[in-house]
Amino acid sequence: MLPIGENGRSWEIKEGEGFILLPDGHHYGSAPCTTDTEIIWIHFQTFGSWQMGTDMNQCMGNQMELIEEHKRLAYLNHADVCSIFIPKHMKLSPKALEVLETFFEQEHEPQSLRNWKRQASFQLFLQHLDRDLASPSNETSIQLADRIELFIRQNYASDITNSVLQKNMNYHPNYLAKVMLKVYGMTPMTYLQYYRLEQSKRLLLQTPWSIARIADEVGFHHVSHYSTCFSKKEGLSPSDFRRKFAKAR
């Protein structure tokens, strides 16, 4: 057992448990260990934005705010973003522990392979922590929301309506909207427009295509509607966005 303190609070970390220390916190041993204790430390850095929440409902409710903050800090580096949820103090599942074992087995790999494999193992470890936290009802919502999100990403240039989603997902549009709001912080139609605009930003910077062609490529029927949506979201017209940021690349 490891007694540990952070910013005036104390925890006891038992065998098979994990704990996340805040990067800007004050950390210390809150009491002596009474038995032989082995500790695994993994230092990692986040690129972008993160928040602490009191529960899953608060975390899910704050996702849009978090995504916008991430885009402000990591502008254009990660146009397609999503959230993962990791508890501060957790019991590690057998699958998570198994991945952790492979992480340290890679110490014997050549350096050219070790860093890549460790990165992949660490991401898988975080994925297990993320999914282990979800309750059965949240897990069901996450799975359905992921199906909706994947369908939109694969078909965003096509005509996607609530009726199309209902036919493909076999759920009422109101329920699909409720699930997407819970998991992604926006309805399917809002996410569709968000994703189309993000893809258009990539085309504005990576191609010489006209604004009208880009609007059509990402699923907008009218270039005026595309320009209005883009300007409202970015504070710049598509042409001004291209002039401003294409020079910085």
Side-chain angles (χ1 to χ4, degrees):
M1 183 178 296
L2 175 67
I4 194 166
E6 178 184 74
N7 297 339
R9 291 189 60 191
S10 297
W11 291 265
E12 291 184 343
I13 315 305
K14 300 176 182 177
E15 183 177 358
E17 293 183 346
F19 190 79
I20 294 181
L21 298 171
L22 293 176
D24 55 354
H26 172 51
H27 310 121
Y28 46 90
S30 57
C33 291
T34 57
T35 58
D36 289 342
T37 304
E38 292 185 356
I39 307 168
I40 296 173
W41 290 97
I42 299 178
H43 296 266
F44 64 97
Q45 180 178 3
T46 62
F47 182 74
S49 188
W50 59 272
Q51 290 180 353
M52 282 189 64
T54 57
D55 54 38
M56 279 292 289
N57 288 332
Q58 185 186 44
C59 289
M60 287 181 167
N62 290 343
Q63 280 202 89
M64 275 308 298
E65 175 188 344
L66 190 64
I67 288 173
E68 290 304 316
E69 177 69 4
H70 174 87
K71 288 171 62 182
R72 186 184 69 81
L73 296 175
Y75 196 67
L76 286 181
N77 290 293
H78 293 82
D80 185 18
V81 298
C82 64
S83 299
I84 62 171
F85 306 97
I86 305 173
K88 184 171 183 65
H89 186 191
M90 72 215 82
K91 177 70 175 177
L92 299 178
S93 68
K95 287 185 177 180
L97 288 169
E98 183 178 330
V99 174
L100 204 56
E101 286 290 333
T102 64
F103 182 87
F104 288 101
E105 288 172 2
Q106 288 155 4
E107 180 66 31
H108 305 292
E109 296 273 2
Q111 185 177 8
S112 58
L113 296 176
R114 182 172 66 243
N115 291 339
W116 289 104
K117 288 186 176 182
R118 278 191 161 182
Q119 182 70 23
S121 295
F122 183 64
Q123 290 176 341
L124 183 58
F125 177 67
L126 292 182
Q127 183 180 357
H128 281 301
L129 299 186
D130 176 43
R131 290 308 169 95
D132 290 342
L133 177 63
S135 66
S137 61
N138 281 336
E139 179 68 19
T140 300
S141 296
I142 290 170
Q143 289 177 355
L144 179 55
D146 282 349
R147 283 179 57 205
I148 300 168
E149 192 267 349
L150 181 61
F151 181 85
I152 289 173
R153 290 205 315 147
Q154 292 176 337
N155 300 279
Y156 69 93
S158 305
D159 289 330
I160 298 179
T161 64
N162 284 320
S163 297
V164 170
L165 289 175
Q166 181 177 14
K167 181 178 179 181
N168 282 272
M169 302 295 153
N170 202 27
Y171 286 97
H172 193 278
N174 289 347
Y175 182 69
L176 298 178
K178 180 180 178 181
V179 165
M180 279 291 286
L181 275 170
K182 182 178 183 180
V183 178
Y184 283 89
M186 59 186 98
T187 66
M189 294 300 102
T190 303
Y191 184 84
L192 173 62
Q193 179 172 296
Y194 161 81
Y195 191 76
R196 283 172 170 170
L197 292 174
E198 291 298 318
Q199 294 306 302
S200 77
K201 286 158 63 176
R202 177 177 59 83
L203 295 176
L204 284 167
L205 298 183
Q206 295 180 358
T207 74
W209 295 350
S210 69
I211 305 301
R213 179 178 177 183
I214 289 174
D216 184 64
E217 288 284 340
V218 300
F220 285 90
H221 294 302
H222 304 287
V223 65
S224 59
H225 181 221
Y226 164 65
S227 295
T228 299
C229 292
F230 191 99
S231 299
K232 183 177 180 181
K233 183 173 182 292
E234 299 297 331
L236 293 169
S237 69
S239 298
D240 289 340
F241 178 90
R242 171 178 269 169
R243 280 192 292 268
K244 181 176 180 178
F245 293 105
K247 293 179 180 178
R249 292 176 66 84

